[in-house]
Amino acid sequence: MSSFWIMRWALKALGGVGAVVAVGLGLVYQFQEKLLYLPRIPGVPNEFAYLPDRFGLEYEDVYITAKDGTKLHSWMMWPKGWSKQKRHSRPTVLFFQENAGNMSFRLPFLRLVAHHLHCQVFAPSYRGYGLSQGKPNEPGLQMDAQAALEYLTTDSAVNKDNIVIFGRSLGGAVAFWVAAANPGFVNSLIVENTFWSIEAVVGKVMPFLAPFVGPGRLFNFLIRNRWYNEKAIAKLGQLPVCLLSSLQDEMLPPEHMERMHKMLLAQQGRVTWVPLQAGHMDAYETAAQDYWPAVAKFTQHYAHSLETDPEDDQSNAGVQEAVQATNAGVMPPSAVGPFTDGSSRPSQVHDEQDAGAALQAPGYEYKKEL
């Protein structure tokens, strides 16, 4: 059904006074992927701003293939100096990012995940994001998540019993879906500030459409990317879930996370609820004193193998320097990596051509995570 016929039908249904609404509904139908997904931040180069070695992390470039043949770029990252054996002894966090921009904007956060959870991190880029092929949509991102999880089950450096999924904002919906679709393959799940469904947030983002698109509304059939988290949560069973909810979230209503919490409690799930005095994506900084102890305690309880040893004091040095620099309000410069030897070359490339040229940092100022 084309946007022309959608708007024509809507105009007849609503009358002349509904012309603006009809146009809005047509745009929602025709361009919703462009409205929902933002692989590139306007005015910001699409190239990676940084590589993981700038943040004290060793890494590999990993290319995986989704079920429909789409090639996806990923980073496998771990604290400097860890052996393959040590990596296997630690949890692996499968990370699904927020919406806007490529994975390099998540590195300030991900190096803290590696530091506080004593883990390695696998971070796939959704289709259309970063170096990944394709265009984003709900079925596509679901295939991407499935491919990422399946890859981890084949990696000899990954303990298959210690895979923790972590999703933030849009990534929370992706995380719920892949955890629900793969019972028995996920150790635990962490979700931060996601939404109940796309229908439930359209009216918040576009208030003039609230009477027409939303829970129980007439025009919900226009929404192709639904992300019904309720359906995924109902399939989680006894999977341990940690919900991180920012009570001053300026983008998504905190009531969505509270609703998920109540649903998990009602179905007697194993849920850890962490309310935070923070905004949408800044809790790990502004509420760090509550955020990181809660996440670490949850992961340590369920994923195990988080005890530190003397070797970690040395191997985590680069990450710890990055943490200290951030705590002091110092961000890495765009051209020189202060926490590494300055190299920006990929340490290894799997399954694809040398990605070195494509991965060079472009040399612009660090942008706050979106």
Side-chain angles (χ1 to χ4, degrees):
M1 186 182 298
S2 71
S3 59
F4 171 78
W5 290 108
I6 289 291
M7 286 189 284
R8 183 176 179 179
W9 180 83
L11 280 167
K12 289 183 177 180
L14 296 173
V17 295
V20 174
V21 172
V23 171
L25 292 171
L27 292 175
V28 166
Y29 180 83
Q30 184 71 10
F31 300 108
Q32 62 188 260
E33 282 79 15
K34 294 185 180 298
L35 294 170
L36 289 174
Y37 307 106
L38 192 63
R40 295 169 177 79
I41 302 173
V44 176
N46 188 47
E47 292 84 0
F48 290 141
Y50 302 103
L51 299 176
D53 58 4
R54 299 284 178 93
F55 296 87
L57 298 170
E58 295 184 36
Y59 72 103
E60 298 173 347
D61 289 283
V62 180
Y63 283 85
I64 59 179
T65 304
K67 185 178 179 180
D68 65 349
T70 302
K71 293 285 187 179
L72 308 169
H73 173 260
S74 310
W75 278 326
M76 177 67 87
M77 299 169 278
W78 60 92
K80 184 184 294 186
W82 278 19
S83 65
K84 186 175 182 179
Q85 181 179 6
K86 178 175 285 292
R87 290 170 57 197
H88 187 274
S89 72
R90 304 303 197 199
T92 298
V93 168
L94 172 54
F95 176 73
F96 296 113
Q97 70 164 68
E98 314 85 305
N99 190 7
N102 64 52
M103 192 61 71
S104 68
F105 295 106
R106 278 76 211 181
L107 289 173
F109 172 75
L110 293 176
R111 61 81 164 79
L112 291 171
V113 171
H115 169 72
H116 286 286
L117 305 188
H118 301 283
C119 67
Q120 61 182 343
V121 179
F122 187 60
S125 292
Y126 307 134
R127 59 187 59 210
Y129 286 69
L131 298 181
S132 293
Q133 297 176 349
K135 296 181 179 180
N137 54 48
E138 181 179 5
L141 266 61
Q142 291 172 348
M143 285 189 281
D144 299 346
Q146 184 66 33
L149 181 59
E150 290 177 0
Y151 170 80
L152 290 182
T153 66
T154 69
D155 189 335
S156 59
V158 173
N159 183 337
K160 314 309 182 288
D161 296 324
N162 261 1
I163 297 174
V164 179
I165 297 181
F166 197 146
R168 309 179 78 209
S169 193
L170 170 64
V174 180
F176 272 134
W177 182 88
V178 74
N182 295 273
F185 287 88
V186 178
N187 174 282
S188 49
L189 173 63
I190 304 171
V191 172
E192 180 178 354
N193 294 332
T194 194
F195 44 81
W196 184 252
S197 68
I198 293 297
E199 289 176 2
V201 296
V202 167
K204 300 289 183 180
V205 178
M206 301 179 181
F208 69 95
L209 292 181
F212 309 99
V213 179
R217 303 300 187 188
L218 178 62
F219 291 92
N220 287 346
F221 69 91
L222 298 178
I223 305 298
R224 293 189 301 272
N225 296 258
R226 299 179 181 276
W227 291 112
Y228 284 139
N229 285 326
E230 177 183 10
K231 294 182 178 179
I233 292 172
K235 299 176 182 178
L236 294 179
Q238 291 299 299
L239 180 71
V241 179
C242 178
L243 297 177
L244 304 168
S245 178
S246 293
L247 302 183
Q248 281 81 50
D249 194 326
E250 71 282 7
M251 295 187 67
L252 296 174
E255 296 80 35
H256 288 217
M257 292 292 290
E258 176 62 31
R259 190 173 179 183
M260 297 172 194
H261 179 216
K262 291 179 179 178
M263 182 175 177
L264 284 164
L265 288 176
Q267 64 191 39
Q268 298 183 331
R270 290 189 286 179
V271 57
T272 298
W273 174 248
V274 185
L276 299 158
Q277 299 299 324
H280 184 58
M281 284 289 103
D282 64 0
Y284 76 97
E285 294 177 311
T286 60
Q289 70 281 3
D290 298 316
Y291 187 101
W292 292 113
V295 173
K297 183 177 180 181
F298 172 82
T299 311
Q300 184 172 11
H301 182 72
Y302 291 108
H304 315 299
S305 302
L306 289 177
E307 67 281 355
T308 59
D309 56 46
E311 183 183 345
D312 285 337
D313 294 336
Q314 182 175 2
S315 64
N316 281 337
V319 179
Q320 291 167 355
E321 285 186 48
V323 173
Q324 292 166 2
T326 300
N327 290 342
V330 179
M331 291 309 303
S334 58
V336 180
F339 311 126
T340 69
D341 60 5
S343 170
S344 61
R345 292 172 295 178
S347 57
Q348 186 175 352
V349 177
H350 290 269
D351 192 41
E352 284 279 326
Q353 74 281 2
D354 183 359
L359 292 173
Q360 297 302 311
Y364 59 91
E365 292 301 317
Y366 168 78
K367 304 291 182 180
K368 184 80 173 174
E369 275 192 88
L370 299 176

